[in-house]
Amino acid sequence: MKKKLLFVGLLSGLLLLLFSGCVVFFPSFATLELYVTDYNSGYYVSNATVKLLYNDTEVLEGVTDDNGHIVFKLPTNREEIFVKFVIAKEGFAVTRFNNLMLRKDEKVLIETQLRKPSVGETQTEEPAEINVEFYNDSSKTIELALNNNILNVSNDPYYVVNVNTNEYDVKYIYVKLGGIPGSSFLTSPRSIYYESPAEGTLSLAGFSGLTPLYIATFDQNENLVVNVYYLNIEKEISVENPYVVEKNDPSIFAYTRRSGLAFYNNPVIINKEKTIPQIKNLRKINAAPVKDTNLWVEINWILWQDSSASLTTDQPEAYVVYRSFDGVNFEEIATIPEGYSYYRDKSPQLEAGKKVWYKVAAKYGDYVSTPTLLGSVVPLGIFDIKYLSPTDGATDVSTNPTFAWEIVDPVNSPEGTVVYYYDIWLYDLTLNDYGYYSLSANGYPYYNFFATSSTSVTFDFANPPYGLWWVDFGVGDWYQYGTLQKNKTYEWGNELVVAIVSDDDSEAYSIYADQAGIIDPIGVEAEIYNTFTTGDN
């Protein structure tokens, strides 16, 4: 049935697009490539139906493959055409893009989401209608007219967005120039609003020429509608001494996280009633996966004003980020306004074990300085952990128990040796004597973790590794005894288990648990705690 639909769609596309020009035979093609995930930095959505519309008529239809990927090649002799597409799958909300420009003999890549609904099934392929008006400034005295979905501008315009939904109320309205907007963590800078109308001034800093403007809205059922408009930005910025971006070492950080965060849920809630002292982050971080995980790469660089060249070079308007999967062919993936020193790449083209390179350049209007190679990184895969002793539910356990665990399916990397960072927490579950304990180094009692390249750990309670000793955080002092108490129930687990590979230009993290957010910028809750009861000795 799908083959028949695809053939009918292709035939319709040929009839609509082929005869839009003068030449009938051997037409040119406009290409649309899509990647669909269930959330930003999340897992691929396969077998999603994608309908492509031209002049509001369906011309092509297909389904995403196992990598959430699909490519449409539309025959046309026009220099540019505007299309719409709708993505749908049973058990998911609806995603719709309107007014997307495709050019003859060129490819447009869109990476988007198809979320799980929060209320129920959506009954329409048009969950919302977006309308926008542009003005010369916030006084709204002079309206700027779109011409064939293109707005000619030389100064920052003012916009007013009105959204009418068909089934569910508006949840968010996003506005972003040059990239598809979403959560601030992964798509800053962008503007967000919580009701219609939404209005504000659009900064053109860093952009020139024909640039897409994405206005996106989510409704309360997680349906996504995106309208695309195009700004033809005409401005001149002179530069005499361009800044060649200086790099940090390392400059690239790859995060692979067990327990995926959709970046539109409520924050992670940690239920344990304890406070871990904050550990200062010295890495200057402002912060394709398997199912229910996250994978992104964060790069950073030295801002012009913080560089050694700030007195001898001109301040840039923006920074341009480039990415390569072979170290030779780089493509531009983002423009970041001056003042931002980082970019988080959430592309579904990223994969564990797949090397990726990045460059950054300063931008002055149409002029881009010589890019600086920041380096490369190989994102890590996911590992698991097996608890050997004391096992969950064990009784008559020694008051000097042996704690033991091992890594299952250890990760590896061509960039260096994998080092595992661990902590351990022990909870006294007696209601009238609640306590919690962890390990600390010599000196003032303080939370510590330890690092080892070994994939297994074994030690007795009375003989922790690396000269560490137990801290009773309930009383804020060292634990005063060499054993646990008799006939008491305890719970234990690791709240930090992270694999790290470092080299000169990058660090890669595979995060199984990081409840305090020591390595992970958000925090990953511990998954397993083991309960055991001591005996008489």
Side-chain angles (χ1 to χ4, degrees), residues 361-422:
K363 188 176 184 183
Y364 304 80
D366 291 331
Y367 180 83
V368 178
S369 68
T370 302
T372 298
L373 178 64
L374 298 181
S376 62
V377 70
V378 178
L380 299 178
I382 293 291
F383 63 91
D384 208 343
I385 190 168
K386 181 179 180 180
Y387 289 99
L388 305 176
S389 172
T391 56
D392 191 41
T395 58
D396 199 27
V397 174
S398 169
T399 56
N400 183 25
T402 298
F403 295 102
W405 62 86
E406 65 181 8
I407 299 299
V408 179
D409 297 325
V411 298
N412 57 75
S413 172
E415 296 195 306
T417 301
V418 178
V419 177
Y420 292 89
Y421 285 64
Y422 303 104

Side-chain angles (χ1 to χ4, degrees), residues 308-322:
S308 63
S310 61
L311 297 179
T312 57
T313 59
D314 298 328
Q315 182 174 5
E317 187 186 21
Y319 300 94
V320 182
V321 180
Y322 303 87

Side-chain angles (χ1 to χ4, degrees), residues 103-118:
R103 289 181 172 273
K104 184 175 68 173
D105 297 325
E106 295 182 7
K107 180 180 72 174
V108 171
L109 171 64
I110 297 292
E111 298 172 346
T112 188
Q113 309 167 50
L114 190 66
R115 292 184 175 181
K116 291 291 184 69
S118 57

Side-chain angles (χ1 to χ4, degrees), residues 8 13 23 42 56 65 79 126 187 201 217 226 314 364 374 384 461 489 508 510:
V8 172
V23 180
D56 290 321
D65 63 16
E79 291 301 317
E126 297 186 68
T187 67
T201 299
T217 185
V226 181
D314 298 328
Y364 304 80
L374 298 181
D384 208 343
F461 175 85
T489 299
S510 178

Side-chain angles (χ1 to χ4, degrees), residues 17 27-34 52 71-81 83 100-110 210-212 230 331:
L17 301 175
S28 298
F29 288 89
T31 303
L32 172 62
E33 183 175 12
L34 298 177
L52 195 63
V71 177
F72 291 108
K73 297 182 75 69
L74 288 81
T76 183
N77 290 316
R78 291 189 174 182
E79 291 301 317
E80 61 192 34
I81 57 175
V83 300
L100 180 68
M101 179 191 293
L102 301 182
R103 289 181 172 273
K104 184 175 68 173
D105 297 325
E106 295 182 7
K107 180 180 72 174
V108 171
L109 171 64
I110 297 292
L210 197 65
T211 305
Y230 294 85
E331 63 176 346

